[in-house]
Amino acid sequence: MRFLLCPSPHIHTAAFLKMDCPLGSSSLMWFRKGLRIHDNPALEYAAKNSCFVYPVFVIDPHYMEPDPNAFSPGSARAGLNRIQFLLESLLDLDANLREIGSRLLVLKGEPVEVLIRCLKQWNVKRLCFEYDTDPYYQDLDRRVKKYTSMAGVEVFSPVSHTLFNPEDIIQKNGGKPPLTYQSFLKLAGQPSWVSSPVSTGISRLPPVGNVGDAKISNVPTIEELGYKDHGQDEFSPFKGGESEALKRLKNSLDNKEWVANFEKPKGNPSAYLKPATTVLSPYLKFGCLSSRYFYQCLQEVYKNVKQHTSPPVSLLGQLLWRDFFYTVAFGTPKFDQMRGNKICKQIPWKDDSELLAAWRDGRTGYPWIDAIMVQLHKWGWMHHLARHCVACFLTRGDLFVHWERGRDVFERLLVDSDWAINNGNWLWLSCSSFFYEYNRIYSPTSFGKKFDPRGDFIRHFLPALKDMPKEYIYEPWTAPQSIQIKARCIIGKDYPKPVVLHDSASKECKRRLAEAYALNKRLNGSVGEEDLTKLRRKLEEDPKQETPNSRQKQRRIG
């Protein structure tokens, strides 16, 4: 059962019940993201003046087909947690559609081919889908519109996944995306739709028409997709779907004092029994929750409290950050790459597959880092500060591995992986763009200890260390052999030694970044591959400096 937190006076769409239905008056609603009934302008338009509405979701092998060569269970592009979350969201969408007289038609295949076949076979003259800035969907849209323009099919593709239309912001800025949050806020102002509250949903949909011999299926299970022996013993505790999104939103916003005082980046990254955030990001990613509806509900809360935090740190500020990244990503060619990306510093990152694998698989020897990465594998989610820590560790903090490699891991494993936001955050956290204070590094030992001195988070996700005394839980390699034996955890055997020494590794990272920044400045950003190769050679040839403290730690580890 769907329920809404702050109902609006918007009139429900049921006009089709009172009209005459001319032959062939039908619409196809193509669900990709936007897996919801509330605030879905594309769905409302599909229902308007239609005798039949075909709600379609296409199982895209590109994202859903098992890949036996991937480093974790899942497809070539998505881990099993995200696939499971999507399937749960589709089941919920189907249930909610059935409540209003319809159902979800699930087909399988290359999306454009499937869609064109359905439009022809069902004699559909109107195609509706939510606008998407993701390059993959932009390409699908171009191909679909090429057909519809020739076939005389009307296309309605409104912007409702974000608060603002990124194109409008870029146009206001002279054709270029704003590159700072504050400049974005100044350009964006108030969303244009604010004066008319968003729809709380549709009370009734026209029925599904005759589907002919189309191969329609129910929402498949993980096993039916081919994941019979997936080997994943734990799934994300966050269940997908609009119903769950609205319930989670209500639970969060019921605590008005918490909403009013919310201040990012504060929060406890080690809280796992009850996460210290709303955990609404996966629902926003799949469009199970409308960001516009979330915005509207936050404004209602703010009206009824004496004072509240403001952007960029408030909850409202987080929604605006989301739109900021969407806008910059949409307006920046090759946003997901270092090479050819005009807003990205050119840095001679390492491409060390062994260090990458140790980080990815939770084997760095730093329990705080490893526990977070294990949580990512098991849950497909971690707190934003935890993400900051592990991203910093991989790139500018310790390992100096290319941010694109880390981005790929997050893109696969995160339930809330979002193309624009994931790339934007990796650019930020690697000090490649947006943020440039590379001397500010998250400690892989002391940062987590501030929030969880006993190491309960580590003990939960790294059982090998569950009996390690709290004095050594963040740096177990410093524990005397007798302590390791008593804790039944021998470092180097039951749990790995550190892959690098943080003190010396972070110093070396700073040295490399200082040289790279100087090169970018000297060449005014026009750094070529040959320039990076020369710098890389210079950095490798220069003697690496170690502090006396780090040499002392080396002896203790060895």
Side-chain angles (χ1 to χ4, degrees):
M1 179 68 69
R2 293 183 300 110
F3 58 92
L4 277 289
L5 176 67
C6 48
S8 77
H10 192 95
I11 298 171
H12 293 311
T13 303
F16 70 91
L17 292 174
K18 299 177 181 178
M19 69 176 193
D20 294 325
C21 288
L23 188 64
S25 173
S26 56
S27 300
L28 191 155
M29 173 64 200
W30 181 20
F31 284 99
R32 296 104 66 93
K33 296 173 191 170
L35 304 179
R36 64 181 184 272
I37 306 299
H38 76 279
D39 185 32
N40 196 327
L43 182 61
E44 291 188 18
Y45 192 81
K48 188 179 179 182
N49 299 325
S50 291
C51 291
F52 304 106
V53 171
Y54 297 86
V56 167
F57 184 88
V58 182
I59 299 290
D60 185 349
H62 181 70
Y63 278 98
M64 307 284 266
E65 205 166 78
D67 180 5
N69 299 316
F71 67 80
S72 73
S75 69
R77 299 297 299 274
L80 215 51
N81 269 316
R82 190 154 83 254
I83 293 173
Q84 177 68 21
F85 190 95
L86 172 58
L87 296 179
E88 290 167 351
S89 300
L90 293 174
L91 279 171
D92 187 66
L93 176 62
D94 181 50
N96 290 338
L97 285 169
R98 289 175 187 272
E99 280 188 19
I100 56 175
S102 186
R103 66 188 175 104
L104 187 63
L105 306 175
V106 179
L107 297 101
K108 186 177 181 180
E110 199 286 316
V112 175
E113 293 175 5
V114 171
L115 214 62
I116 291 173
R117 188 164 62 243
C118 290
L119 289 170
K120 288 179 179 177
Q121 186 175 353
W122 300 338
N123 191 27
V124 171
K125 295 303 179 186
R126 180 191 290 168
L127 173 63
C128 303
F129 55 90
E130 185 177 66
Y131 182 76
D132 198 313
T133 57
D134 187 313
Y136 180 71
Y137 290 105
Q138 287 276 303
D139 180 59
L140 292 184
D141 294 357
R142 278 190 290 270
R143 291 163 56 201
V144 166
K145 287 176 181 177
K146 185 178 179 181
Y147 167 77
T148 57
S149 64
M150 293 186 297
V153 174
E154 177 191 359
V155 173
F156 182 69
S157 181
V159 174
S160 54
H161 189 63
T162 50
L163 303 175
F164 302 91
N165 184 340
E167 285 188 25
D168 292 344
I169 305 294
I170 291 168
Q171 188 177 357
K172 283 183 184 179
N173 201 41
K176 295 180 180 180
L179 297 181
T180 68
Y181 182 75
Q182 290 302 328
S183 61
F184 168 80
L185 292 185
K186 189 174 179 180
L187 285 161
Q190 286 280 335
S192 59
W193 49 267
V194 164
S195 57
S196 303
V198 299
S199 167
T200 57
I202 299 174
S203 58
R204 197 76 184 158
L205 265 183
V208 174
N210 184 357
V211 297
D213 60 359
K215 294 181 179 178
I216 308 295
S217 72
N218 293 322
V219 177
T221 63
I222 281 285
E223 290 72 25
E224 287 168 345
L225 284 175
Y227 299 96
K228 288 184 170 59
D229 301 308
H230 49 72
Q232 185 154 326
D233 58 355
E234 187 177 346
F235 281 94
S236 172
F238 312 117
K239 185 180 178 182
E242 178 184 21
S243 301
E244 186 67 25
L246 294 172
K247 188 188 304 179
R248 185 170 287 276
L249 176 67
K250 182 179 186 302
N251 289 341
S252 293
L253 299 195
D254 275 351
N255 188 345
K256 291 179 173 54
E257 184 181 353
W258 181 83
V259 173
N261 295 322
F262 181 90
E263 191 174 350
K264 192 178 178 181
K266 293 180 181 178
N268 184 353
S270 68
Y272 63 93
L273 294 175
K274 185 181 179 183
T277 68
T278 63
V279 195
L280 287 171
S281 54
Y283 304 94
L284 290 166
K285 178 265 186 309
F286 281 105
C288 302
L289 175 64
S290 156
S291 63
R292 308 193 314 172
Y293 181 69
F294 190 2
Y295 181 102
Q296 180 177 292
C297 291
L298 281 172
Q299 297 288 26
E300 287 296 316
V301 173
Y302 291 156
K303 284 178 189 175
N304 293 294
V305 293
K306 288 183 179 179
Q307 59 183 21
H308 57 82
T309 53
S310 301
V313 299
S314 62
L315 268 180
L316 181 62
Q318 305 319 299
L319 282 178
L320 293 166
W321 273 112
R322 178 176 181 266
D323 264 65
F324 168 64
F325 278 134
Y326 265 87
T327 302
V328 181
F330 183 68
T332 305
K334 299 186 178 178
F335 184 70
D336 59 343
Q337 302 172 28
M338 179 180 79
R339 301 299 300 148
N341 181 349
K342 289 185 178 180
I343 70 168
C344 181
K345 296 279 190 192
Q346 302 299 298
I347 297 169
W349 300 107
K350 296 177 185 176
D351 196 6
D352 190 316
S353 57
E354 288 187 11
L355 285 178
L356 175 68
W359 173 84
R360 180 193 70 202
D361 301 336
R363 296 184 287 103
T364 68
Y366 286 90
W368 173 243
I369 301 298
D370 293 342
I372 294 169
M373 295 306 291
V374 170
Q375 183 186 32
L376 172 60
H377 276 270
K378 287 181 175 292
W379 288 19
W381 183 89
M382 65 277 212
H383 187 276
H384 55 266
L385 285 178
R387 301 180 194 210
H388 293 187
C389 288
V390 295
C392 177
F393 185 88
L394 179 71
T395 56
R396 64 186 171 88
D398 290 81
L399 304 186
F400 212 71
V401 171
H402 204 310
W403 64 266
E404 291 178 19
R405 305 286 86 79
R407 182 274 318 281
D408 291 345
V409 172
F410 272 28
E411 184 176 295
R412 174 180 185 77
L413 295 179
L414 280 171
V415 172
D416 60 7
S417 176
D418 185 300
W419 186 82
I421 299 168
N422 191 31
N423 280 292
N425 278 323
W426 276 95
L427 283 163
W428 186 298
L429 292 165
S430 65
C431 280
S432 294
S433 193
F434 306 114
F435 176 76
Y436 304 106
E437 296 179 36
Y438 58 81
N439 285 309
R440 293 175 59 183
I441 289 173
Y442 290 92
S443 166
T445 54
S446 61
F447 186 80
K449 198 182 295 184
K450 289 191 302 183
F451 299 94
D452 182 21
R454 279 180 35 82
D456 293 335
F457 177 82
I458 291 169
R459 296 177 203 282
H460 179 82
F461 288 106
L462 299 177
L465 292 168
K466 65 182 175 64
D467 296 322
M468 187 65 68
K470 66 178 183 179
E471 293 80 8
Y472 303 104
I473 190 74
Y474 284 89
E475 298 176 274
W477 64 89
T478 65
Q481 191 73 4
S482 59
I483 297 292
Q484 295 182 33
I485 292 170
K486 188 176 180 182
R488 297 189 293 273
C489 183
I490 306 301
I491 304 307
K493 177 187 173 188
D494 303 303
Y495 180 72
K497 297 178 181 180
V499 291
V500 294
L501 303 168
H502 173 62
D503 285 354
S504 55
S506 62
K507 188 171 184 178
E508 177 61 16
C509 284
K510 291 173 187 175
R511 182 178 78 91
R512 288 171 177 257
L513 279 166
E515 293 276 7
Y517 270 44
L519 177 66
N520 278 262
K521 184 177 181 180
R522 190 164 64 248
L523 298 181
N524 198 27
S526 299
V527 179
E529 193 59 48
E530 187 178 342
D531 300 311
L532 283 180
T533 300
K534 286 180 182 177
L535 178 56
R536 191 175 284 111
R537 192 180 301 124
K538 176 190 173 186
L539 291 169
E540 293 301 332
E541 287 172 356
D542 284 354
K544 296 177 182 178
Q545 302 172 32
E546 284 190 330
T547 63
N549 187 38
S550 66
R551 287 197 295 271
Q552 185 179 6
K553 283 190 176 182
Q554 177 73 59
R555 287 196 294 273
R556 282 193 301 190
I557 292 170

